[in-house]
Amino acid sequence: MLEKIKSGIPGMDELLDGGFPKRKVLMVSGPSGAGKTIFAAQFINQGIKAGENCVYITLEEQKEKLIDNLKEIGIDFTDLEKKNRLRIIGGAVGHIKYFKEKTKATIYDIADEIKEVILEIGAKRVALDSVNLFTMLFETELERRKAMADLVAVLGSLDCTTLLTCEVKEGHPKMISWHGFEEFVVDGVIVLYRLPFGNKYERGISVVKMRGVNHSQKVVSMSITKRGIEVYPDREPYNDMLKDNV
């Protein structure tokens, strides 16, 4: 029987028939401002609450800025690193780019660096924000495809559940990844939508793919509050572009 873990996002587990599949590599995608980083942080925070050690890798944002921003939704990671419960790697894309250029490192070397951090603290949950910046380190589409597949293979071999974030182009609700291949190598895909509706933005969420899980097929409403993301499984968004997306 497939083991599941709580997502940490109120209402999300109802769409997933109980939660995320354990030890799988999942992806949450959406345009800028859709809530991907908040989603990943709530996923990690739930792991901490459950007594799990976790790793959060942000490839662009500096660690201190990430920590400060998350305090606004009631998530405080400040002391968790000191207790060796959480490892945050901030601004990692610069380090990886330097590592790749100076040592001629391959994807396996880069993946091994990530793997080493995960194994060092026995992490059960990992978030990597975002795969867009990771794939940008490679020059051709073939290299990007291979890098993405190899990274997912390494992460999938570990005893942890991994959540990757992926940005998509603004105003294209039918797109679920930037390059169009990321969704094929992961075990599950969740899409966050943010589209104009009148004088505000309408937010929605859907589970596009989740291997082995009897998940919801609907696009439902979600919001970002002072407590983070909240999903409303029984409420459909008003925007027809969201309703017709799946």
Side-chain angles (χ1 to χ4, degrees):
M1 185 176 178
L2 188 66
E3 290 185 80
K4 293 182 180 178
I5 59 174
K6 299 299 180 183
S7 66
I9 293 89
M12 187 71 223
D13 295 345
E14 293 181 45
L15 302 183
L16 296 164
D17 195 29
F20 285 146
K22 198 173 183 179
R23 290 185 291 274
K24 301 295 183 181
V25 181
L26 315 173
M27 183 175 81
V28 57
S29 68
S32 178
K36 300 180 297 296
T37 296
I38 295 174
F39 193 104
Q42 287 179 247
F43 165 75
I44 292 295
N45 197 48
Q46 176 63 34
I48 297 292
K49 289 179 179 178
E52 301 168 340
N53 290 346
C54 301
V55 171
Y56 194 113
I57 304 168
T58 168
L59 294 182
E60 182 176 23
E61 199 166 30
Q62 294 301 313
K63 179 168 69 173
E64 293 76 15
K65 186 177 179 181
L66 173 72
I67 290 173
D68 285 343
N69 289 342
L70 292 178
K71 286 178 182 178
E72 295 181 11
I73 59 168
I75 295 177
D76 191 349
F77 286 154
T78 307
D79 296 324
L80 293 171
E81 278 197 297
K82 296 176 184 176
K83 297 176 182 177
N84 213 31
R85 296 288 313 286
L86 173 67
R87 186 69 55 84
I88 301 175
I89 302 173
V93 71
H95 168 69
I96 293 175
K97 186 175 181 181
Y98 175 86
F99 180 62
K100 181 174 180 287
E101 290 176 349
K102 295 300 180 182
T103 67
K104 306 300 181 185
T106 67
I107 173 57
Y108 296 109
D109 298 315
I110 295 168
D112 280 345
E113 266 212 316
I114 295 172
K115 178 179 177 180
E116 185 178 337
V117 174
I118 295 169
L119 293 177
E120 187 178 333
I121 68 167
K124 296 301 181 183
R125 295 193 188 209
V126 178
L128 193 156
D129 185 14
S130 70
V131 293
N132 302 73
L133 291 168
F134 173 76
T135 55
M136 280 171 56
L137 294 169
F138 302 89
E139 296 179 1
T140 69
E141 182 172 341
L142 181 61
E143 287 178 324
R144 294 187 190 106
R145 283 177 179 267
K146 188 175 186 310
M148 182 72 184
D150 290 343
L151 176 67
V152 170
V154 170
L155 293 170
S157 70
L158 303 175
D159 185 26
C160 61
T161 306
T162 302
L163 185 69
L164 311 175
T165 72
C166 180
E167 187 159 328
V168 299
K169 295 172 184 175
E170 190 79 35
H172 295 270
K174 291 187 181 294
M175 292 183 65
I176 60 175
S177 67
W178 187 271
H179 296 290
F181 57 73
E182 296 93 329
E183 64 267 34
F184 296 108
V185 297
V186 294
D187 299 298
V189 178
I190 296 162
V191 179
L192 308 183
Y193 308 101
R194 178 180 176 272
L195 289 176
F197 184 72
N199 62 353
K200 63 177 183 178
Y201 280 92
E202 176 78 359
R203 295 185 184 275
I205 187 170
S206 69
V207 183
V208 175
K209 163 185 168 182
M210 195 65 61
R211 291 172 183 160
V213 174
N214 182 26
H215 63 83
S216 170
Q217 303 290 329
K218 298 190 302 181
V219 178
V220 302
S221 292
M222 60 160 270
S223 65
I224 299 178
T225 73
K226 291 182 179 179
R227 298 177 299 276
I229 290 175
E230 295 185 7
V231 175
Y232 310 106
D234 299 320
R235 186 193 305 174
E236 293 186 10
Y238 298 110
N239 196 313
D240 289 337
M241 289 182 71
L242 293 183
K243 292 179 184 178
D244 298 338
N245 190 61
V246 177

